[in-house]
Amino acid sequence: MTAQLIDGNALARRIRAEVSGRTQALKARGVQPALSIILVGDDPASQVYTRHKVNDSTETGLKATLETYPADLSESALLDRIRALNADPQVHGILVQLPLPKHMDASKVIETISPAKDVDGFHVASAGALVTGQPGFWPCTPYGCMKMLESIGIDLRGKHAVVIGRSNIVGKPMAQLLLQKNATVTICHSATRDLKAMTLQADVVVAAVGKRNVLTADMVKPGAVVIDVGMNRNDEGKLCGDVDFEGVRQVAGWVTPVPGGVGPMTRAMLLVNTLEAAERAAR
């Protein structure tokens, strides 16, 4: 068996096309969906990520503004700027690129963003809405993973899903979204005693710990769906995920590649959340 690939690039293109159509409809009503991105410091990866987010937004007709600040910006100044954007009716989404400089409290910064403009889905109100099934914004990476599962037509009802990782950004919300689709969910982490015993039971595995080869072929049930959220570098410096891709693809039914899998979908779902914020504001 050779697994079929879930092409994140192709699916993201379709989603961006849908966003573009909805954006044009909103603009025809006199509403310009707008995203404000804040970058503090000169982290090279963050610079690349924010540039991609601006380009994606522009491509779909969203207005994206990137504000860059030096690494020595005070936390109080950043919070004041966020509050000003909260009060600006022309801004529908606010994203503060992480990581922040060490003198800033990331939790305090995120909690200062209005939940109505929290298009990253990181605010505690967004997390609470997800857990209780109320309207809110889903974190973009788990949201993108769910869209990938939806794209292959898998019925998650009664399926056993194993999530490797328990971060607030991916692992925990991923588990909640799978629960909403009536999957039986197991969350594994660094203290899990026998990870292989867990993953061999899984119909769906989501690997999201940021560690190379955390999931290998002998840990995967034949035919399972494997979603690789990891972003790492191999010994040659090439981008790779958390999954031993070449080995796992010989066992799994479906697998996401790295690059070209979850990454493009994360950016696509940011556009969806921003558009949704603008549509809610217009209503």
Side-chain angles (χ1 to χ4, degrees), residues 157-174:
R157 176 181 291 274
K159 295 290 193 301
H160 186 190
V162 169
V163 179
I164 311 173
R166 52 180 168 180
S167 71
N168 292 334
I169 293 173
V170 180
K172 291 175 184 176
M174 187 77 235

Side-chain angles (χ1 to χ4, degrees), residues 6-35:
I6 308 178
D7 188 339
N9 282 322
L11 183 55
R13 281 195 294 272
R14 293 203 293 272
I15 290 174
R16 288 197 299 270
E18 294 171 3
V19 168
S20 181
R22 288 168 60 190
T23 298
Q24 294 309 313
L26 205 54
K27 290 166 75 172
R29 295 168 50 195
V31 178
Q32 168 63 72
L35 170 66

Side-chain angles (χ1 to χ4, degrees), residues 39-254:
L39 174 61
V40 183
D42 54 5
D43 178 72
S46 293
Q47 291 174 339
V48 172
Y49 297 151
T50 52
R51 185 167 66 247
H52 282 317
K53 290 168 183 176
V54 171
N55 291 341
D56 289 348
S57 299
T58 301
E59 177 189 325
T60 55
L62 298 172
K63 178 183 177 183
T65 303
L66 174 60
E67 301 183 12
T68 59
Y69 298 98
D72 61 358
L73 179 75
S74 70
E75 181 180 271
S76 61
L78 176 58
L79 298 182
D80 285 344
R81 181 58 189 147
I82 292 171
R83 294 184 186 104
L85 293 171
N86 285 342
D88 186 346
Q90 302 303 314
V91 173
H92 302 104
I94 302 170
L95 184 156
V96 178
Q97 183 66 42
L98 302 177
L100 288 166
K102 292 182 179 179
H103 68 279
M104 293 184 177
D105 182 341
S107 295
K108 183 187 294 185
V109 170
I110 290 168
E111 297 310 310
T112 301
I113 298 171
S114 166
K117 300 186 180 186
D118 172 39
V119 290
D120 251 344
F122 294 166
H123 195 285
V124 67
S126 299
L130 173 58
V131 170
T132 57
Q134 300 300 312
F137 294 110
W138 294 350
C140 300
T141 296
Y143 195 1
C145 292
M146 294 302 294
K147 285 293 183 182
M148 297 179 95
L149 291 170
E150 180 183 306
S151 75
I152 64 173
I154 184 173
D155 181 3
L156 292 168
R157 176 181 291 274
K159 295 290 193 301
H160 186 190
V162 169
V163 179
I164 311 173
R166 52 180 168 180
S167 71
N168 292 334
I169 293 173
V170 180
K172 291 175 184 176
M174 187 77 235
Q176 290 294 331
L177 290 171
L178 289 163
L179 279 172
Q180 285 187 8
K181 295 298 183 180
N182 295 309
T184 298
V185 182
T186 301
I187 302 178
C188 296
H189 45 75
S190 58
T192 298
R193 291 186 176 178
D194 192 346
L195 179 62
K196 180 178 177 179
M198 298 296 179
T199 58
L200 280 174
Q201 301 175 42
D203 303 297
V204 177
V205 181
V206 181
V209 293
K211 182 180 178 181
R212 283 175 54 196
N213 296 335
V214 74
L215 188 75
T216 51
D218 63 315
M219 301 169 68
V220 176
K221 182 169 75 173
V225 180
V226 176
I227 306 292
D228 190 351
V229 180
M231 294 283 280
N232 308 295
R233 296 282 175 180
N234 64 17
D235 295 335
E236 290 75 44
K238 294 182 179 179
L239 194 65
C240 64
D242 287 355
V243 173
D244 174 17
F245 179 77
E246 292 302 331
V248 167
R249 74 183 303 190
Q250 303 305 318
V251 181
W254 294 87

